[in-house]
Amino acid sequence: MSDLFQDLKNELCYQKKNGAVLWSDEKIQKAFAFNEGYKTFLDHSKTEREAVDTMVFMAKEKGFSEFDAEKTYAPGDKVYLNNRGKSLILAVMGSEPIEKGVKIVASHIDSPRLDLKQVPLYENSELALFKTHYYGGIKKYQWTAIPLSLHGVVIKKDLTKITVCIGEEENDPVFCVTDLLPHLAQEQMKRPAAELIKGEELNVLIGSLSFRNDKESEQVKLSILSLLKRKYNICEEDFLSAELEVVPAFKAKDIGFDRSLVGSYGQDDRVCAYTSLMAALELKTPSRTVVTVFADKEEVGSAGATGLRCVFLKDFIEDLAAMQGKSVRKVLANSKCLSADVGAAHDPTFPDVDEDLNAAKINYGALISKFTGSRGKSGSNDASAEYMGEVRKLFADYDVLWQTAELGRVDLGGGGTVASLVADLNVDTVDIGVPVLSMHSPYEITSKIDVYSLYCAFAAFNQ
Ligand code: MN
Ligand code: MN
């Protein structure tokens, strides 16, 4: 009798699968090995610009060349389009005619951080500090009392570009946003958490040594400026045309006695960038042309010339269509997209924010969200049942470990991704990613099994 029920259960009931239980030791080791490259990538790609530089370097090594819309490409040809050093498209030409559609994987390479203001430098109480304006959704209090590094570019008046990266080498100094000691924080601790540290309190400590000249004011600021002049040949006015980003100075590390997790800044969404990059780099000649895009500005609404609201992706596909004398409309209508972005992992410390059946679990594989949005799916790309079916069949055929989830319980959670922007081009699109613990914090956590599963998902999709 119990066997009968077991059979019925196996036949009729849906059960999410835990990769740690399902997979062989060999497969788990393979996943762990894959994550070694991922951690290195994270450490070298802490900003959108650095991510583009890293990816272009890796793509060139694999035979990708700069896209030229005037050229004609053959199946198997590999190209990249670098959009202003802040977003990137890779494409591998397929053997089938372009009007059959292309396969698009779209992730983003910007992450929440603190940006320097345009007039950032000041001295107060004989300490030198930078003013910042935070970028993306952060819990501001998480950014105090941790080591921070400074990345970005300064464009001088003569248009020379100075690249800055300080705080990442073993012997580099780092920077810090200070916080009050508990002894003096009675008043501060009564503030609501959103204001525990206010936006204008995210000031970065950058020095304290004064010139030995007590006649003039602001001797610490001047001393810092003279250091910057010597190291970078810049003056205070040069900050006006700079993009300098303050990010956590930690390196990516294994988390746990069993080393099953990765802890790092910026995994939203560089986990999708790296996994889709690796799937694109290994392609020989796919049947459909594979277009892998890495966008900027997702965390602030995808606006601007490097965000996915911009026409650069559509224009690129239009160029591919024109090469074969086809209209872009027809190509897009037959195209498919995986919109690659992370989701929230179920956190046992905060169980109430989820609804159990539809929460994403660590080690249960790549995470598909049929819809995102909030309060009645508002703002969501809601993938069709037909497209969900196609993806389901694909992952079954290629033995990809995956789960579905939505971000938090109804009327609590929700969020947006670039999915609707690609879908607006008349492309079947669904959201995919991995579950993340402590998402948008300075130290986000993913599972190595999930990261590897996501890579396998992209590899299957690209075939
Ligand atoms: Mn994201
Ligand atoms: Mn995000």
Side-chain angles (χ1 to χ4, degrees):
M1 202 56 178
S2 71
D3 272 359
L4 175 65
F5 281 115
Q6 194 56 48
D7 290 349
L8 258 183
K9 204 172 149 188
N10 289 344
E11 188 191 340
L12 298 179
C13 296
Y14 167 62
Q15 213 153 20
K16 290 190 185 186
K17 293 188 177 72
N18 182 345
V21 175
L22 187 72
W23 287 6
S24 66
D25 288 346
E26 291 71 41
K27 189 158 180 186
I28 289 174
Q29 283 315 312
K30 222 171 158 184
F32 277 34
F34 180 83
N35 278 270
E36 291 304 305
Y38 173 45
K39 286 183 289 176
T40 306
F41 175 82
L42 287 169
D43 290 342
H44 289 92
S45 312
K46 288 204 171 179
T47 65
E48 64 285 359
R49 288 178 192 271
E50 289 176 1
V52 167
D53 289 346
T54 306
M55 292 190 290
V56 167
F57 177 82
M58 291 170 76
K60 280 179 168 170
E61 298 252 288
K62 291 283 184 181
F64 284 71
S65 61
E66 198 167 0
F67 179 65
D68 179 351
E70 307 302 315
K71 271 192 182 167
T72 308
Y73 291 98
D77 282 352
K78 301 168 177 193
V79 298
Y80 69 89
L81 182 109
N82 182 341
N83 180 9
R84 299 167 167 86
K86 297 176 69 166
S87 51
L88 179 72
I89 298 174
L90 300 182
V92 182
M93 305 304 165
S95 55
E96 292 189 19
I98 193 87
E99 70 265 29
K100 292 211 164 173
V102 300
K103 303 257 186 87
I104 302 168
V105 179
S107 63
H108 70 91
I109 48 176
D110 60 317
S111 297
R113 60 182 190 247
L114 309 180
D115 283 345
L116 292 202
K117 293 191 184 191
Q118 263 22 81
V119 182
L121 177 60
Y122 71 105
E123 171 177 342
N124 192 341
S125 311
E126 291 164 279
L127 296 175
L129 300 110
F130 277 146
K131 294 298 296 180
T132 67
H133 193 141
Y134 64 98
Y135 173 98
I138 61 168
K139 287 174 154 179
K140 294 186 267 286
Y141 66 82
Q142 292 180 332
W143 292 72
T144 65
I146 56 169
L148 300 167
S149 57
L150 182 68
H151 301 240
V153 296
V154 180
I155 308 297
K156 286 159 61 80
K157 208 188 268 171
D158 65 4
L159 301 186
T160 48
K161 183 189 279 189
I162 313 284
T163 300
V164 175
C165 178
I166 184 160
E168 296 297 339
E169 295 297 328
E170 193 53 38
N171 291 319
D172 277 0
V174 294
F175 309 97
C176 196
V177 174
T178 57
D179 195 1
L180 265 180
L181 58 166
H183 317 63
L184 293 179
Q186 286 96 324
E187 294 300 320
Q188 183 201 23
M189 298 305 280
K190 287 180 197 149
R191 297 180 187 175
E195 288 170 27
L196 191 56
I197 292 291
K198 297 176 185 175
E200 290 295 353
E201 292 171 343
L202 289 170
N203 302 318
V204 181
L205 182 62
I206 57 164
S208 68
L209 276 192
S210 169
F211 276 139
R212 286 191 194 85
N213 174 358
D214 52 13
K215 285 185 192 129
E216 301 292 327
S217 63
E218 302 207 307
Q219 292 297 296
V220 183
K221 174 178 164 180
L222 199 58
S223 150
I224 292 288
L225 279 170
S226 75
L227 277 174
L228 292 175
K229 173 75 183 171
R230 254 182 289 151
K231 186 166 166 64
Y232 295 112
N233 194 26
I234 58 174
C235 63
E236 189 176 10
E237 193 181 333
D238 290 327
F239 286 116
L240 295 178
S241 47
E243 265 181 345
L244 292 166
E245 307 177 5
V246 177
V247 301
F250 333 121
K251 300 266 182 255
K253 288 264 191 190
D254 291 344
I255 290 192
F257 288 115
D258 57 9
R259 297 178 169 268
S260 59
L261 307 155
V262 173
S264 169
Y265 165 70
Q267 298 199 67
D268 173 9
D269 185 34
R270 292 181 201 117
V271 64
C272 295
Y274 181 73
T275 45
S276 62
L277 171 76
M278 295 309 282
L281 293 188
E282 71 187 15
L283 277 169
K284 302 279 186 266
T285 305
S287 49
R288 305 281 163 87
T289 293
V290 169
V291 176
T292 310
V293 55
F294 309 91
D296 181 28
K297 292 283 181 280
E298 193 278 340
E299 296 294 357
V300 293
S302 295
T306 53
L308 261 192
R309 286 185 199 280
C310 171
V311 294
F312 75 92
L313 174 63
K314 188 186 175 210
D315 282 355
F316 177 78
I317 295 169
E318 190 160 3
D319 284 341
L320 297 183
M323 274 168 205
Q324 296 187 22
K326 303 294 174 193
S327 85
V328 69
R329 287 170 48 181
K330 193 155 184 203
V331 177
L332 287 168
N334 290 327
S335 294
K336 308 281 179 191
C337 174
L338 293 180
S339 171
D341 207 343
V342 298
H346 179 74
D347 185 336
T349 305
F350 303 100
D352 298 344
V353 300
D354 285 325
E355 173 272 296
D356 244 20
L357 288 174
N358 294 285
K361 295 177 79 174
I362 288 285
N363 287 339
Y364 280 64
L367 164 58
I368 291 262
S369 295
K370 182 176 179 294
F371 56 88
T372 57
S374 54
R375 283 154 194 88
K377 299 189 179 182
S378 185
S380 169
N381 162 65
D382 198 348
S384 69
E386 288 83 353
Y387 190 42
M388 284 294 286
E390 274 180 48
V391 170
R392 189 178 151 202
K393 178 175 186 316
L394 178 78
F395 291 171
D397 290 349
Y398 284 86
D399 197 22
V400 175
L401 183 69
W402 69 292
Q403 57 185 321
T404 61
E406 60 180 294
L407 201 151
R409 61 181 160 80
V410 177
D411 285 345
L412 175 78
T417 66
V418 299
S420 63
L421 304 177
V422 182
D424 285 351
L425 300 174
N426 194 17
V427 176
D428 275 323
T429 304
V430 69
D431 276 291
I432 189 169
V434 293
V436 177
L437 288 163
S438 302
M439 197 173 124
H440 278 211
S441 82
Y443 208 60
E444 301 176 314
I445 298 171
T446 56
S447 126
K448 290 181 178 177
I449 286 174
D450 297 339
V451 172
Y452 185 65
S453 297
L454 184 61
Y455 156 75
C456 294
F458 294 137
F461 178 72
N462 288 345
Q463 286 312 308

